[in-house]
Amino acid sequence: QKEVEQDPGPLSVPEGAIVSLNCTYSNSAFQYFMWYRQYSRKGPELLMYTYSSGNKEDGRFTAQVDKSSKYISLFIRDSQPSDSATYLCAMSTGYSSASKIIFGSGTRLSIRP
Amino acid sequence: DADVTQTPRNRITKTGKRIMLECSQTKGHDRMYWYRQDPGLGLRLIYYSFDVKDINKGEISDGYSVSRQAQAKFSLSLESAIPNQTALYFCATSDLGHNTDTQYFGPGTRLTVL
């Protein structure tokens, strides 16, 4: 079983829809949770990060962490064609030099105009 | 200018050849990483370095070696390339702060081994 599981999609939604992207994980020691966005032929770029449980909002994006269920989500409101990309969740224990980031396999998202 | 650069961006080579992928960064970060990305498998860590004198194997280091020539430079070598090393390779950097370890990626090198 992978430490981090993510549905690969592809997910196709119409412009303006609310998008929900999700990951589950097995390691209860993870404390830092990140979402990266990767456009075609580009490297991943950090979109959002959260510490421990709760929600974090940044513009049209909301990251949600439920540590009790080992489940994280990224919501995109008023989705735009420019949001079409692969979204990777990532997480780490955050303990100094032992910290390594574990990535999900990514969900490919397409926003239809 | 990009903070993390990788050369070459694309490379086609033959089985058995030695290949070096190079990464340079201007972010001043101590930590550097090499990942490969394959469809359905996501990003997998090959090697990482927390400073010039520190090199560590990642999840899939067999068949690869690295060199940290300076704080800003981290090279990945395939001593004898094989077809299943065909993948997209990314270099990344990070700077530990506030107990987070977010990473900054280069644009990637697409490697094809025939």
Side-chain angles (χ1 to χ4, degrees):
Chain A
Q1 183 189 5
K2 292 181 182 178
E3 275 191 285
V4 178
E5 298 277 0
Q6 185 174 10
D7 187 330
L11 181 61
S12 180
V13 301
E15 184 175 355
I18 296 174
V19 176
S20 173
L21 303 169
N22 311 292
C23 288
T24 59
Y25 63 94
S26 57
N27 186 351
S28 58
F30 287 142
Q31 295 192 84
Y32 296 92
F33 303 91
M34 291 146 278
W35 286 95
Y36 284 79
R37 178 175 61 194
Q38 184 177 16
Y39 290 116
S40 181
R41 301 184 187 280
K42 301 285 187 181
E45 57 177 341
L46 182 67
L47 190 60
M48 294 189 73
Y49 77 86
T50 54
Y51 170 69
S52 194
S53 286
N55 292 0
K56 184 173 183 178
E57 188 173 321
D58 184 2
R60 295 184 296 109
F61 298 89
T62 299
Q64 194 172 80
V65 176
D66 181 350
K67 290 190 74 178
S68 62
S69 301
K70 297 191 181 69
Y71 188 88
I72 69 170
S73 300
L74 177 71
F75 298 97
I76 307 174
R77 291 186 303 279
D78 188 24
S79 56
Q80 304 294 311
S82 59
D83 295 327
S84 298
T86 296
Y87 290 80
L88 299 98
C89 62
M91 43 201 82
S92 76
T93 60
Y95 294 130
S96 189
S97 63
S99 170
K100 291 189 293 292
I101 294 180
I102 307 298
F103 288 86
S105 57
T107 298
R108 192 152 51 97
L109 173 66
S110 176
I111 308 298
R112 306 188 302 270
Chain B
D1 286 341
D3 294 319
V4 184
T5 57
Q6 292 183 235
T7 56
R9 293 295 313 277
N10 290 281
R11 182 72 183 268
I12 299 174
T13 190
K14 295 182 178 179
T15 297
K17 294 291 188 181
R18 184 178 187 275
I19 296 296
M20 179 179 285
L21 309 182
E22 300 189 348
C23 176
S24 294
Q25 53 115 346
T26 58
K27 299 187 76 66
H29 289 167
D30 288 325
R31 299 181 171 196
M32 298 187 74
Y33 308 78
W34 276 105
Y35 291 90
R36 64 177 281 175
Q37 188 175 39
D38 300 274
L41 295 177
L43 285 161
R44 292 183 292 166
L45 184 63
I46 305 172
Y47 270 95
Y48 61 103
S49 169
F50 284 169
D51 65 41
V52 174
K53 297 180 181 179
D54 177 79
I55 302 289
N56 303 281
K57 292 183 177 181
E59 181 186 352
I60 52 163
S61 58
D62 287 348
Y64 302 94
S65 62
V66 291
S67 173
R68 184 83 183 266
Q69 300 94 325
Q71 186 206 36
K73 295 184 182 295
F74 193 35
S75 299
L76 176 73
S77 293
L78 288 67
E79 296 301 326
S80 179
I82 56 177
N84 76 1
Q85 291 177 314
T86 293
L88 195 51
Y89 289 84
F90 288 102
C91 173
T93 74
S94 72
D95 187 24
L96 183 65
H98 303 292
N99 287 331
T100 62
D101 195 8
T102 55
Q103 299 191 359
Y104 300 86
F105 285 82
T109 294
R110 185 169 296 276
L111 177 66
T112 302
V113 183
L114 301 176

